[in-house]
Amino acid sequence: MKLAPHLHRLGNDVVACYLVDTDEGITLIDAGLPGHWQDLQAELRTLGKTADDIRGLVLTHGDSDHIGFAERLRSEHGVPVFVHAGDADRTRTGDKPKTALGPMRLGPTLGFFAYSLRKNGLRTRYVREVTEIADGDVLDLPGKPMIVGMPGHSPGSVAVHVPLADAIFVGDALTTRHVLTGREGPQPAPFTDDPATALSSLDRLAGLSASWVLPGHGAPWRTSPAQVSQAVRKS
């Protein structure tokens, strides 16, 4: 689904990932669930392009609902997969600490897991080879994505700022739809390793310029990055 010039979303408010389309090729931000591969192919067809036009995939972190088709894209099309060093092992192996579920409601929780099953969420392939990145890196990919360290949800959680798309991709640094309660609006994401650190990390967005703040779960959010931290804290 096209959101704006250069900017497309794959998936929906339950699980989403993003495509940045430029004259130099495509950069993907996150890879959703394995079944989002079909969503990716459909979006590429609308652009008159193929997976061979993808120059790189940048992961906001290494959780299974963000790395879904990453290994397929890497192994079948040679697309490099970029992830912060703090989440490199999580991306390659799935090894992560257990976190408290927190608040939940039966309907939304079942809906989240049902959607994951429909999108082959139990068939996640971990990524055998990754390129490690760090806070402040500007990647040599279409759109020149800049990496903003956002530790808390995971040690290597990042936001990805793409000025060309007027967007900041925040992964699970925040959510606009809580997948376990169904509550909408900007708020902390569930399954977070260190909630206090995650909340503090939101202050790092304040100095960036963008009109879109795009989470991995929930509706796209049109706002100023300067307002993000305050809005989430009020939730």
Side-chain angles (χ1 to χ4, degrees):
M1 178 178 71
K2 185 172 183 178
L3 298 177
H6 308 291
L7 181 60
H8 300 251
R9 184 171 81 150
L10 310 176
N12 59 17
D13 288 0
V14 180
V15 179
C17 50
Y18 300 90
L19 183 155
V20 177
D21 178 38
T22 80
D23 293 339
E24 291 75 40
I26 290 169
T27 296
L28 295 180
I29 312 296
D30 284 334
L33 296 160
H36 285 122
W37 179 260
Q38 285 72 35
D39 300 63
L40 172 63
Q41 301 311 307
E43 199 69 25
L44 289 170
R45 285 193 294 271
T46 69
L47 296 171
K49 297 185 177 180
T50 72
D52 293 328
D53 292 299
I54 299 170
R55 303 293 177 251
L57 165 61
V58 186
L59 300 175
T60 59
H61 61 295
D63 284 349
S64 60
D65 54 349
H66 292 257
I67 69 169
F69 58 73
E71 176 60 13
R72 182 172 184 177
L73 192 64
R74 186 200 69 80
S75 62
E76 294 183 8
H77 296 275
V79 174
V81 179
F82 299 84
V83 67
H84 189 281
D87 266 30
D89 186 61
R90 186 181 293 215
T91 304
R92 288 190 293 256
T93 68
D95 187 31
K96 58 180 287 188
K98 292 184 178 180
T99 57
L101 288 178
M104 57 189 298
R105 294 174 55 223
L106 183 60
T109 299
L110 290 177
F112 172 59
F113 287 109
Y115 181 77
S116 296
L117 286 173
R118 289 198 302 273
K119 291 294 186 179
N120 294 325
L122 294 181
R123 298 184 180 181
T124 298
R125 296 167 60 192
Y126 296 102
V127 186
R128 294 182 62 185
E129 296 179 16
V130 299
T131 300
E132 296 185 3
I133 54 178
D135 179 36
D137 286 354
V138 178
L139 306 183
D140 186 19
L141 293 173
K144 300 297 182 185
M146 185 184 78
I147 305 304
V148 182
M150 301 286 288
H153 183 77
S154 65
S157 178
V158 303
V160 183
H161 183 209
V162 182
L164 178 70
D166 196 24
I168 302 170
F169 307 87
V170 295
D172 285 1
L174 62 90
T175 183
T176 58
R177 183 185 185 276
H178 196 293
V179 296
L180 300 182
T181 68
R183 180 170 175 260
E184 297 183 352
Q187 61 197 291
F191 307 112
T192 291
D193 291 2
D194 185 342
T197 298
L199 200 59
S200 296
S201 290
L202 294 175
D203 293 333
R204 305 205 67 212
L205 302 178
L208 303 177
S209 176
S211 298
W212 294 93
V213 173
L214 299 170
H217 309 279
W221 186 16
R222 297 296 300 269
T223 189
S224 164
Q227 306 299 317
V228 168
S229 180
Q230 184 179 7
V232 174
R233 283 184 166 90
K234 285 181 176 179
S235 66

